[in-house]
């Protein structure tokens, strides 16, 4: 038996622990499960994306054997362009996930031919000393998988995002038998999705949504517009089937929805009878009760199709009284206000709105408490690490594990960068590696304490004033009137404040100070203006004096 | 019978219609119900407060007869310093509301002696041609009232914010008999609180929270910290009573909580036995199971006491394992993420957290559907205007009214600035007056299309670059190296971008262009830099060239 230990290291993201990347390291081999991004919150001004800090991987790049991808959502595949741009590593993914990754990499220079291998559930792949077996799980996107990783110290199961839908729309249920067989074999460590660990009971089957769609579309007298996530392929299938049963044709609107539907049709994940799909100008010719429009914007995203329609700002679709809009989603925390505004604007147009609080027009894709218990009971792990959730979700999941007899000593609530070490018998925490979010802004890559973000926060508060001053090098007196520009500080009717400020600068520098240092002149100006501006406006802009001696 | 019509005009705010101010105008008289503020959302960068646009009132200032205030929350009294600073008008308010207004006006120059009259429920006040009768309602702050306004065209009822709590903590229930008597008298128009019109059933009594507090505090082994709104005086009373029954002393922490408790004790709205209250340093000496701390921060406000405690950053209270934190509130939409982060950080400290999803530690202060029906049934209005809610809440409230036989023709869903005209028989819409939010930032007052806010949004996106250039007036060539300052654009390790930019400017202006216009030089520099910066960083900062001819 080797003395070597297995090291497990979650890397993230924002809040959700181990969501974006999970590293496993043993001896000379490192593999990753997933490589995803997070989206910036409103405090990260101007940031495009957030990726995990991969410093640790960078230091051990020669050990990196590849990435097992669980499913095709952005928070699991979105960082692949960054990872593959830097590291040489094969990627393993299911058919649909593979398709989504290819689309993504096509947009990245030099990654068109990156090594992405298509994997079917049940396949086993050798990655260094790791033997990785993929198994099927259900989630809100088809073709999701978890991984069972046989390591020299035992089997590690990573569930990916999952739920146990026994009647999934695509007929492909989570592989409970496989999970049970891992359990009989012996599982050293289970890492399981905690997103809905606070929710009691079972997550309902996607089928329920189909039944609601059938009823609601049947009752609607005019057009029906359904907004949902572009990746919810099974949802789109169900909406389409309900439409067809009620003799309606379907138009797809919104860039990401169009792209995903095309891809899913091509790969066979969506199946419509001939003549079902129509262009938006074609359905405009049909009677309203012969039309369903499937579109994006269920989260109230400002540039999405539904939001444009709600604002009467969509190029192709003008909503009107008689239309029914179904919002087939739950607002992601932080998006509530955007969704509410969209609903308000839809109602202002006289449209009928149905959301998930009014009817079963959405179910989510994560396991609730009884399913989490089932996962633990099937796999019977020796050690347990709750993943994919914010800290409170991990705490709730740990309590569930405890109720099933997995003691607190065998459960590890980890944060991103924490290291768990396992040998054949034991698991214990072993320090931390560098981790945390990396903010991507254009070509920039910034850490949490970024000066750029701090400055943007300051600029966004009270704006900026820049003063340009040419002074006589011998007397430090201005040789001409200073120039002042200000942004985000004064409204037009307050422009006299700047005129007064110019006078104040000249006054401040009016007596011959002799040959002084430029920084001293700048500080004097800054102090005088700071006091003056606060008195005049009760605001405190950034003040940047730039003086030049001539 | 006069030909004159009554005009009803809601003014607001952000989203919630008629929330901050309701104007009634008849002939030469105008009165207002409430004068409140809204708090800015994250898009209103740097804004302190939002008040209603009072242009209409300003134009008719000589008609203004006064303000009837329904209760002491900020969204109903917060604009009084602005209104009273501009208009001479008496204010009528209940005892507690009066106390809160006085505290608020003390901070405003020249308003210390503004005419605020204390009113008891049942009192009638003459305000021009309006006869205003106040009646008691329950809400989440004591001493709330609605108003019945007798006008020459009939009685108008404005409910204020209300719920029907039949067993309120202070023993003062909503005055159903009075509402019924208005109903028998005849009500021309009911304007009723729509905040919870989407919620079925009845809002539970505040008493339920008392029962939970008694049980939870009884079960806690260590200290109990309860975070709630400072204005929830009855909540504080119940927490205190539960603490006392379990032989615990109480410390109050957090500026607004301390201020409100002091005021409520002074006015008799809070009653503690002697020796119940303790200073925070006193309770530090007591065994943990003899201590309750009541504090602020239930919405995850970044500078609040609870958030500081959660971040181990509070001057006086260090939380530890064994403590129980009760969050006695529901996150206001938009605050979910802040509250979640706070809970995560509390759990990281090993503290037990109880929130409103886990136990009845909070009830809200607005009527649900059955109470709204009761209000309509009691008052039997001829016309109905749902108020105090976002558009979808008004739509839901209108549907409730319809289910009680108030036809769509007699219901008016209004937006801020809309005018409703009433005579003895009819009501109809009659155009709009100027309205909308006014953003208060220091001494500035800005409208929606503010340039300052637009600039702040731009600054917050990719930062700013200011170039200062002294050129030879005859050749337009730079007489010395340009100065460049940038904020919120480049991280330290990108500083070579600015060095290169300086070179580029010199190159751009290197050939003798002869005597040219300064704006032309500026445009040339801006274009060259814009392209260069985007190529170098894939970001687009604001670029401000300032050129001076010498």
């Amino acid at each position: 038996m080797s003395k070597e230990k297995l090291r497990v290291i979650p890397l993230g993201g924002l809040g959700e622990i181990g969501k974006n990347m999970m590293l496993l390291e043993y001896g000379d081999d490192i593999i990753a499960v997933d490589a995803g991004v997070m989206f910036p919150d409103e405090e990260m001004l101007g940031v495009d994306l957030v990726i995990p800090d991969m410093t640790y991987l960078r230091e051990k790049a020669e050990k990196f054997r590849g990435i097992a991808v669980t499913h095709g959502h952005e928070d699991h595949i979105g960082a692949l362009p960054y990872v593959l741009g830097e590291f040489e590593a094969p990627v393993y993914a299911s058919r649909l996930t593979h398709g989504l990754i290819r689309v993504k990499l096509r947009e990245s220079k030099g990654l068109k031919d990156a090594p992405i291998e298509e994997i079917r559930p049940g396949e086993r792949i050798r990655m260094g000393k790791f033997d990785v077996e993929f198994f099927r799980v259900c989630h809100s996107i088809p073709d999701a998988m978890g991984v069972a990783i046989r390591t020299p110290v035992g089997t590690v199961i990573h569930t990916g995002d999952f739920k146990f839908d026994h009647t999934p729309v695509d007929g492909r249920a989570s592989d409970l038998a496989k999970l049970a067989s891992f359990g009989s074999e012996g599982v050293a460590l289970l890492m399981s999705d905690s997103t809905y660990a606070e929710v009691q009971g079972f997550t309902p089957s996607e089928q329920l949504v189909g039944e609601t769609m059938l009823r609601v579309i049947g009752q609607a007298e005019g057009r029906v517009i359904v907004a949902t996530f572009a990746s919810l392929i099974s949802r789109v299938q169900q909406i389409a089937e309900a439409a067809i049963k009620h003799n309606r044709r379907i138009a797809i609107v919104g860039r990401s929805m169009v792209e995903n539907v095309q891809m899913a049709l091509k790969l066979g994940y969506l199946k419509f009878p001939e003549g079902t799909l129509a262009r938006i100008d074609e359905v405009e010719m049909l009677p309203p009760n012969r039309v369903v429009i499937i579109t994006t914007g269920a989260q109230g995203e400002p540039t999405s199709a539904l939001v444009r329609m709600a604002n009467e700002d969509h190029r192709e679709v003008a909503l009107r009284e008689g239309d029914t809009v179904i919002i087939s989603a739950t607002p992601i925390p932080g998006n509530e206000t955007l969704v509410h505004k969209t609903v308000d604007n839809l109602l202002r147009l006289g449209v009928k709105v149905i959301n998930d609080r009014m009817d079963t027009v959405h179910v989510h894709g994560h396991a609730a408490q009884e399913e989490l218990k089932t996962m633990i009971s099937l796999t019977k792990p020796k050690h347990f690490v709750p993943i994919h959730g914010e800290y409170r979700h991990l705490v709730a999941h740990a309590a569930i594990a405890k109720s099933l007899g997995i003691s607190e000593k065998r459960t590890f609530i980890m944060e991103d960068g924490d290291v768990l070490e396992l040998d054949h018998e034991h698991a214990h925490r072993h320090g931390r590696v560098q981790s945390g979010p990396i903010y991507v802004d254009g070509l920039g890559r910034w850490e949490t304490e970024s000066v750029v973000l701090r400055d943007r926060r300051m600029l966004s508060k009270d704006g900026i004033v820049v003063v340009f001053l040419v002074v006589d090098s011998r007397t430090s007196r201005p040789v001409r009137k200073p120039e002042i520009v200000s942004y985000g500080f004064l409204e037009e009717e307050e422009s006299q404040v700047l005129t007064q400020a110019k006078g104040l600068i000249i006054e401040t520098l009016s007596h011959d100070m002799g040959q002084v240092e430029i920084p001293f002149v700048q500080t004097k100006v800054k102090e005088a203006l700071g006091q003056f501006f606060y008195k005049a406006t009760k605001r405190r802009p950034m003040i940047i004096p730039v003086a030049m001696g001539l």
Side-chain angles (χ1 to χ4, degrees), chain A:
Chain A
M1 224 183 260
S2 137
K3 287 250 177 66
E4 202 94 57
K5 284 178 179 166
L6 172 70
R7 289 159 64 81
V8 176
I9 310 170
L11 294 179
L14 297 165
E16 291 206 66
I17 290 140
K19 182 85 177 180
N20 302 137
M21 196 175 226
M22 178 69 70
L23 298 184
L24 277 82
E25 178 179 12
Y26 185 89
D28 286 331
D29 300 301
I30 296 182
I31 62 171
V33 180
D34 292 337
V37 294
M38 303 297 277
F39 293 99
D41 67 32
E42 66 270 12
E43 280 177 38
M44 299 165 201
L45 299 167
V47 169
D48 304 329
L49 285 178
V50 184
I51 60 175
D53 187 333
M54 288 176 280
T55 305
Y56 184 76
L57 197 53
R58 201 165 291 129
E59 288 164 359
K60 308 201 168 182
E62 79 292 348
K63 291 183 171 190
F64 193 24
R65 304 286 166 251
I67 308 166
V69 178
T70 60
H71 64 284
H73 280 149
E74 281 300 307
D75 44 355
H76 297 263
I77 66 169
L80 281 173
Y82 304 94
V83 177
L84 297 179
E86 185 171 352
F87 303 101
E88 283 200 33
V91 176
Y92 304 94
S94 68
R95 195 167 136 80
L96 178 65
T97 311
H98 180 270
L100 290 162
I101 294 172
R102 279 283 173 228
V103 170
K104 174 167 292 297
L105 295 184
R106 224 179 283 145
E107 296 157 10
S108 308
K109 229 177 29 200
L111 295 179
K112 204 162 50 75
D113 302 316
I116 321 288
E117 284 195 40
E118 212 179 292
I119 293 289
R120 270 169 311 181
E123 278 192 75
R124 290 171 79 143
I125 300 291
R126 192 88 210 166
M127 297 166 81
K129 266 175 229 83
F130 299 105
D131 175 344
V132 181
E133 179 169 358
F134 292 80
F135 58 90
R136 189 180 291 292
V137 295
C138 290
H139 184 42
S140 46
I141 185 169
D143 241 6
M145 305 191 295
V147 282
I149 306 163
R150 273 120 180 157
T151 80
V153 304
T155 300
V156 174
I157 292 185
H158 184 300
T159 65
D161 286 349
F162 82 101
K163 66 189 258 191
F164 287 141
D165 188 338
H166 299 288
T167 57
V169 174
D170 63 4
R172 293 166 176 169
S174 301
D175 193 343
L176 300 187
K178 180 66 88 177
L179 287 165
S181 80
F182 295 140
S184 329
E185 233 177 71
V187 170
L189 171 65
L190 170 67
M191 297 192 276
S192 181
D193 178 7
S194 312
T195 313
Y196 275 75
E198 290 185 326
V199 178
Q200 296 183 342
F202 285 91
T203 298
S205 170
E206 178 72 27
Q207 293 261 349
L208 282 192
V209 178
E211 292 164 22
T212 312
M213 291 292 169
L214 192 62
R215 174 168 44 76
V216 173
I217 293 177
Q219 286 163 356
E221 289 170 13
R223 295 185 299 181
V224 177
I225 295 90
V226 190
T228 192
F229 298 104
S231 65
L232 272 174
I233 307 287
S234 299
R235 184 76 44 89
V236 173
Q237 181 70 42
Q238 297 203 101
I239 298 162
E241 285 173 12
I244 294 161
K245 283 201 183 119
H246 291 298
N247 199 16
R248 289 174 183 247
R249 291 187 74 191
I250 300 158
I252 311 287
V253 173
R255 194 179 58 86
S256 62
M257 186 62 82
V258 169
E259 282 175 4
N260 273 28
V261 166
Q262 278 171 350
M263 206 264 298
L265 281 169
K266 203 174 107 193
L267 295 183
Y269 289 90
L270 269 179
K271 293 188 186 86
F272 301 154
E274 195 116 356
T276 308
L277 277 182
R279 289 195 318 273
I280 188 72
D281 57 315
E282 288 178 296
V283 299
E284 280 298 313
M285 305 295 157
L286 297 173
N289 64 358
R290 296 268 117 0
V291 178
V292 166
I293 296 171
I294 303 178
T295 190
T296 53
Q299 292 294 322
E301 304 92 325
T303 59
S304 66
L306 183 69
V307 172
R308 286 188 194 281
M309 293 178 202
N311 297 341
E312 299 187 85
D313 184 32
H314 194 274
R315 230 160 15 94
E316 299 173 311
V317 183
L319 297 182
R320 50 182 185 250
E321 229 174 304
D323 290 337
T324 300
V325 170
I326 302 175
I327 299 182
S328 179
T330 301
I332 293 169
N335 286 356
E336 292 87 352
T337 318
L338 289 173
V339 174
H340 290 162
K341 274 187 200 165
T342 306
V343 171
D344 287 342
N345 288 334
L346 289 168
L347 292 171
R348 284 186 173 99
L349 298 176
V351 166
K352 189 175 170 191
V353 178
I354 298 173
N355 64 23
D356 71 315
R357 280 164 55 199
M358 298 153 75
D359 212 332
T360 314
V361 294
H362 178 68
V363 296
H364 53 79
H366 296 275
Q369 291 179 354
E370 295 308 313
E371 291 154 278
L372 296 176
K373 289 178 192 168
T374 306
M375 178 61 84
I376 293 170
S377 298
L378 285 170
T379 54
K380 295 185 285 228
K382 194 188 278 183
H383 303 287
F384 177 60
V385 171
I387 56 171
H388 295 193
E390 300 185 16
Y391 200 85
R392 64 194 177 283
H393 303 133
L394 308 187
V395 170
H397 203 173
I400 291 168
K402 194 180 171 193
S403 77
L404 294 175
I406 301 190
S407 71
E408 281 156 342
K409 274 194 312 205
R410 294 191 289 131
T411 296
F412 299 87
I413 297 182
M414 294 171 76
E415 302 236 34
D416 288 326
D418 284 349
V419 179
L420 185 74
E421 285 198 348
L422 286 97
D423 59 24
H424 277 90
E425 285 305 315
H426 301 100
H428 60 273
R429 293 171 189 279
H430 191 86
R432 288 179 54 75
V433 305
Q434 183 172 331
S435 75
I438 296 290
Y439 304 116
V440 177
D441 184 10
L443 298 178
R445 305 279 178 275
W446 304 321
E447 299 180 11
T448 320
E449 57 279 9
S450 156
V451 175
V452 164
L453 293 183
R454 195 200 61 198
D455 283 349
R456 285 184 190 167
R457 271 192 289 274
M458 286 194 56
L459 289 167
S460 73
K461 218 173 146 286
D462 280 333
I464 186 170
V465 177
V466 184
V467 180
F468 270 121
L469 207 56
V470 183
V471 296
D472 185 315
S473 304
R474 289 152 312 171
T475 63
S476 298
R477 282 199 188 121
V479 299
R480 48 176 299 172
K481 250 173 77 175
E483 297 275 348
I484 302 190
V485 294
S486 94
Y487 283 85
F489 170 46
L490 295 172
E491 206 62 34
E492 213 181 311
E493 63 266 24
E494 298 171 305
S495 60
Q496 84 292 349
V497 171
L498 289 191
T499 316
Q500 291 166 9
K502 285 184 193 177
L504 178 70
I505 294 168
I506 292 171
E507 198 190 306
T508 306
L509 303 175
S510 62
H511 47 283
D512 185 344
M513 295 187 287
Q515 193 178 335
V516 290
E517 298 289 326
I518 288 292
F520 178 77
V521 172
Q522 294 181 161
T523 305
K524 256 186 108 65
V525 168
K526 188 169 176 171
E527 281 174 5
L529 287 182
Q531 285 175 19
F532 167 69
F533 287 143
Y534 187 71
K535 208 171 150 213
T537 66
K538 293 274 183 286
R539 302 193 289 276
R540 301 185 189 282
M542 279 179 96
I543 301 170
I544 317 295
V546 183
M548 238 182 220
L550 266 192

